[in-house]
Amino acid sequence: MSGPEWLSVSMPYVVPRSPQAGDAWAEDAAQQGGVGTQRLLDVAEVVPTVEVAEALQMEPGAPVVVRRRLMLLNDQPVELTDSYYPGYIASGTALAEPRKIRGGAIGLLAELGYRPGQVREDVYTREPDAIEREVLNLTGQEWVLGLTRLLSTREGVPIEVSVMTMVPQGRRLRYELTVD
């Protein structure tokens, strides 16, 4: 494996942060010796894919708010992240506004009474589409690493689905569990 390697641990991304806290991605990248930034590409109310609607337990055709971001490591694109929120939670809040959210989306969800309590992640590989290939600067032979994360409250209410499409070079995902 050549080039820089970075490690992803999910916990900083699924716990609420205070509005004064820094960006979780920037902190994660800094701990790996890099500079992590992100660019907000779009915020919109959309009808989600069947997969997203089912994960959020939404009726077919019910609107969700999506926040689309491009993650950069040392100014190089490394990940596309689309985060979806049920319309009944996100509409009329900062989640639906095209700007960064102080303390992040998870902190805002907690302030709204939707504190994350359960996390499910699915990791997979696949061929990128033409847009992903171009935005992530991939060659014709490279695949992407995908991660779909579902956040729910302790009561099982789904509050966020994030679909991440990552360049695989140098990427390592670490999962640590505490068993009682």
Side-chain angles (χ1 to χ4, degrees), residues 9-179:
V9 177
S10 297
M11 194 59 72
Y13 299 99
V14 299
V15 295
R17 303 169 70 82
S18 76
Q20 295 76 33
D23 178 83
W25 167 239
E27 289 177 12
D28 189 8
Q31 289 174 357
Q32 306 306 317
V35 177
T37 57
Q38 59 179 291
R39 187 177 311 144
L40 186 61
L41 301 175
D42 188 31
V43 177
E45 189 171 283
V46 299
V47 174
T49 64
V50 171
E51 177 187 43
V52 170
E54 286 177 359
L56 291 174
Q57 298 176 5
M58 304 289 294
E59 293 292 324
V64 299
V65 170
V66 62
R67 297 179 63 84
R68 301 182 196 278
R69 300 177 311 282
L70 174 64
M71 314 308 276
L72 301 132
L73 180 66
N74 299 328
D75 291 324
Q76 297 301 309
V78 294
E79 181 178 311
L80 290 163
T81 301
D82 294 349
S83 296
Y84 299 88
Y85 307 91
Y88 72 89
I89 293 174
S91 294
T93 73
L95 289 168
E97 297 174 8
R99 62 178 175 88
K100 286 190 174 184
I101 299 170
R102 291 183 59 79
I106 305 307
L108 178 59
L109 286 167
E111 285 178 25
L112 295 171
Y114 298 96
R115 186 173 184 82
Q118 299 175 16
V119 180
R120 184 185 79 206
E121 293 185 341
D122 294 304
V123 180
Y124 47 91
T125 60
R126 64 174 176 79
E127 289 190 66
D129 65 29
I131 293 171
E132 292 165 337
R133 194 173 300 285
E134 181 180 339
V135 172
L136 296 174
N137 297 325
L138 298 171
T139 68
Q141 304 302 311
E142 294 176 286
W143 281 36
V144 291
L145 179 64
L147 189 148
T148 300
R149 176 184 298 140
L150 172 63
L151 281 182
S152 302
T153 64
R154 287 201 186 284
E155 298 77 29
V157 176
I159 55 176
E160 178 190 73
V161 171
S162 290
V163 179
M164 294 159 255
T165 304
M166 302 174 253
V167 299
Q169 298 83 0
R171 190 67 182 222
R172 181 183 348 169
L173 305 174
R174 174 178 289 164
Y175 293 91
E176 297 178 11
L177 305 172
T178 301
V179 179

